[in-house]
Amino acid sequence: MGLDIPKLFGTSGIRGRVEEEITPELALNVGKAISTYIGKGNKVVVGYDTRTSNLMLERAVSAGILQGGCHVLSVGMVPTPVVGYATMKLNADAGVMITASHNPSPYNGIKLWNPDGMAYLQEQERTIEKIIHENNFYKASWEDIGQITDISPVVNNYIEDLLGLMDIEPGLKVVVDCANGAAAYLSPLILRKAGCNVVSLNAQPDGFFPGRKPEPSEANLTELMKVVKVTGADLGIAHDGDADRMIAVDDKGRMADFDKLLALVSAEIGGCVVTTVDASACIDRALEEVGGTVERTKVGDVHVAEMIHMLGANFGGEPSGTWLHPQFCMCPDGILSALRVIELVQNKGPLSQLLDDIPSYPTIRDKIDCQEDQKNPIMRKAETDLSLIYEDVADINLKDGVRISFDDGSWVLVRPSGTESFVRITLEGKTEDKARMIHEKAAEFIHDLL
């Protein structure tokens, strides 16, 4: 496929500012491209989150799908995981979610899903880009234009199937912050049906996100942390705008360490778990204790999904809170992730204690200015020579940058930024001295090449 084809898809679908990168014309073309790709007569689930531009874009995408002779299964305003689930449950041929996830209000985006609820792979995204670039759309004749069907009742199936997976006793007190996003109605309802005593924050849908910004960062979750502490709740749960992510707050009102939380749930599920090259070694240690294994892949939930699919893994996720539960659906699901953490707290005790029991190791994150044309030569040299500057190398992983693991469990990752002019160094040392030594050597190695 030629290099002159403009790239529309980033690491998580098409995304940008409304009326700049994201327009009704683009949405129409994406709809037409989907129909062209999957073939006329097939079915596409379409959903959207709470953003002010969503109906405009949803109508445009749907028009494109209908023009290509495919049928729209309209699920309405729902979290992203419901679109993935509905695509799988109803044997649809594709799914479309209109969302910009954790980005601010002026942004929106389009994410595409496969029949098994897994996000489109990169090669599929390239095919959609090629169809749009070449204006090579199939157009149905008047008698073959597609139909729209309301499938909103599938949300009830989602709730039933989700609760059927869990074994939660009534009684835990949970504060859930929905960010005025797509889970505003659904997440508190499901947690109540699971038996939790729920306090909800920002649980009215509003595309201006008046309660807090949709990014579930520590700075944006101060209210949630205070409410958990003041109400004596067992834990807090926060979602991003489309609820494909989940962040937890412990019973002391502290935001849970992303890696430690992933390690706790991974150990509870056991077996083969997939995570990214930048995730902490505490996940490996937690899995070792229960006889499980960890496989690492490139940063990005699509890469995690691909490897889960390839290995038949039990579970996978990124430290960001994007977790995949393959026994349910291949779409990241923040509501199911919340239920997993609630079940863990019920079975094992206070979240604060569980997190504190996992040893913390000194961590360093650094970035070094690096021009775009220098990134490839530097990374090629790092692949062959970076490990030679250290003595106790146990493993080298080249899936996404260079990740070197050491005999004592320390590790370092050197990888180019995908969006900025930096090379990033991320590491975890067994001691402060070890962390400093690893960092100094890696930084010196890169500076010398520059």
Side-chain angles (χ1 to χ4, degrees):
M1 210 171 283
L3 295 174
D4 55 337
I5 295 172
K7 202 169 184 300
L8 296 173
F9 291 85
T11 52
S12 190
I14 301 171
R15 205 176 289 181
R17 292 182 78 94
V18 174
E19 294 302 352
E20 291 177 23
E21 297 90 357
I22 305 297
T23 62
E25 292 78 12
L26 172 65
L28 179 70
N29 283 338
V30 171
K32 292 195 286 187
I34 292 164
S35 279
T36 303
Y37 177 57
I38 64 174
K40 75 166 187 174
N42 286 313
K43 298 176 291 186
V44 185
V45 173
V46 180
Y48 51 91
D49 70 17
T50 59
R51 289 165 193 276
T52 57
S53 53
N54 268 339
L55 277 176
M56 172 181 80
L57 297 172
E58 188 257 4
R59 298 294 192 265
V61 163
S62 297
I65 293 167
L66 299 178
Q67 188 180 8
C70 286
H71 305 295
V72 171
L73 307 181
S74 177
V75 72
M77 194 275 286
V78 291
T80 289
V82 173
V83 169
Y85 168 87
T87 305
M88 175 192 72
K89 186 81 174 177
L90 301 175
N91 296 314
D93 302 279
V96 179
M97 179 68 184
I98 311 289
T99 179
S101 190
H102 60 274
N103 287 97
S105 301
Y107 287 77
N108 214 327
I110 304 168
K111 199 159 181 180
L112 308 182
W113 304 95
N114 275 299
D116 63 353
M118 187 159 100
Y120 263 33
L121 308 178
Q122 287 181 69
E123 65 200 55
Q124 293 176 296
E125 293 176 341
R126 298 294 86 82
T127 303
I128 296 293
E129 287 168 347
K130 184 172 190 282
I131 293 167
I132 292 171
H133 176 66
E134 294 176 351
N135 201 25
N136 186 21
F137 305 115
Y138 172 80
K139 288 182 184 171
S141 58
W142 65 269
E143 69 266 41
D144 288 330
I145 291 169
Q147 304 291 316
I148 297 181
T149 306
D150 175 12
I151 58 154
S152 52
V154 78
V155 174
N156 296 322
N157 301 99
Y158 172 78
I159 295 169
E160 284 169 26
D161 286 357
L162 211 54
L163 294 174
L165 272 183
M166 312 310 298
D167 185 18
I168 296 172
E169 301 290 328
L172 283 185
K173 187 170 190 176
V174 182
V175 184
V176 58
D177 182 344
C178 302
N180 305 113
Y185 297 146
L186 208 51
S187 193
L189 171 67
I190 289 171
L191 299 192
R192 285 191 182 102
K193 281 181 173 286
C196 299
N197 176 5
V198 177
V199 176
S200 55
L201 303 176
N202 305 312
Q204 70 284 5
D206 191 326
F208 291 96
F209 304 113
R212 68 161 169 89
K213 292 174 183 171
E215 167 77 38
S217 64
E218 191 159 5
N220 294 336
L221 297 181
T222 50
E223 185 187 19
L224 173 63
M225 292 189 278
K226 281 179 193 164
V227 173
V228 169
K229 213 169 170 183
V230 168
T231 60
D234 294 286
L235 72 156
I237 296 293
H239 297 299
D240 56 344
D242 66 331
D244 64 346
R245 286 167 66 188
M246 181 280 310
I247 305 300
V249 170
D250 74 13
D251 46 294
K252 292 183 178 176
R254 304 174 303 182
M255 189 157 158
D257 179 282
F258 292 170
D259 292 276
K260 287 185 176 185
L261 194 65
L262 183 55
L264 284 171
V265 175
S266 296
E268 196 70 3
I269 292 169
C272 178
V273 172
V274 176
T275 190
T276 49
V277 290
D278 61 341
S280 166
C282 70
I283 297 163
D284 303 70
R285 289 188 284 270
L287 264 296
E288 271 170 30
E289 287 178 17
V290 296
T293 57
V294 178
E295 293 290 338
R296 291 178 185 275
T297 187
K298 288 182 177 182
V299 174
D301 62 276
V302 174
H303 301 298
V304 174
E306 281 187 61
M307 186 164 272
I308 289 172
H309 190 70
M310 190 173 74
L311 299 175
N314 297 33
F315 177 60
E318 296 190 278
S320 65
T322 310
W323 297 355
L324 289 104
H325 311 264
Q327 83 282 24
F328 184 68
C329 182
M330 287 301 290
C331 178
D333 193 326
I335 300 175
L336 177 48
S337 298
L339 290 169
R340 288 263 183 239
V341 175
I342 289 164
E343 191 177 53
L344 176 74
V345 171
Q346 170 197 282
N347 294 339
K348 296 285 178 74
L351 186 56
S352 58
Q353 188 63 55
L354 294 172
L355 293 165
D356 289 345
D357 285 346
I358 296 176
S360 291
Y361 295 109
T363 303
I364 297 174
R365 289 183 174 86
D366 187 16
K367 55 188 183 185
I368 296 172
D369 290 330
C370 176
Q371 297 305 313
E372 292 302 313
D373 60 353
Q374 292 178 299
K375 284 180 179 177
N376 283 341
I378 282 174
M379 292 313 301
R380 280 199 299 271
K381 197 73 176 161
E383 285 176 14
T384 55
D385 293 2
L386 182 64
S387 61
L388 304 178
I389 66 175
Y390 299 109
E391 287 172 5
D392 55 339
V393 174
D395 181 60
I396 302 167
N397 183 320
L398 304 178
K399 284 177 181 160
D400 191 3
V402 181
R403 188 185 200 274
I404 297 170
S405 302
F406 301 97
D407 291 334
D408 65 354
S410 305
W411 59 274
V412 60
L413 171 68
V414 175
R415 65 184 286 270
S417 168
T419 53
E420 299 171 284
S421 298
F422 297 121
V423 168
R424 298 186 187 280
I425 301 173
T426 309
L427 66 93
E428 197 172 45
K430 195 74 179 280
T431 63
E432 291 279 1
D433 287 345
K434 181 70 180 266
R436 263 197 306 274
M437 181 276 289
I438 294 170
H439 175 250
E440 282 166 11
K441 287 194 171 187
E444 187 181 350
F445 178 86
I446 294 166
H447 282 300
D448 285 349
L449 290 175
L450 289 168

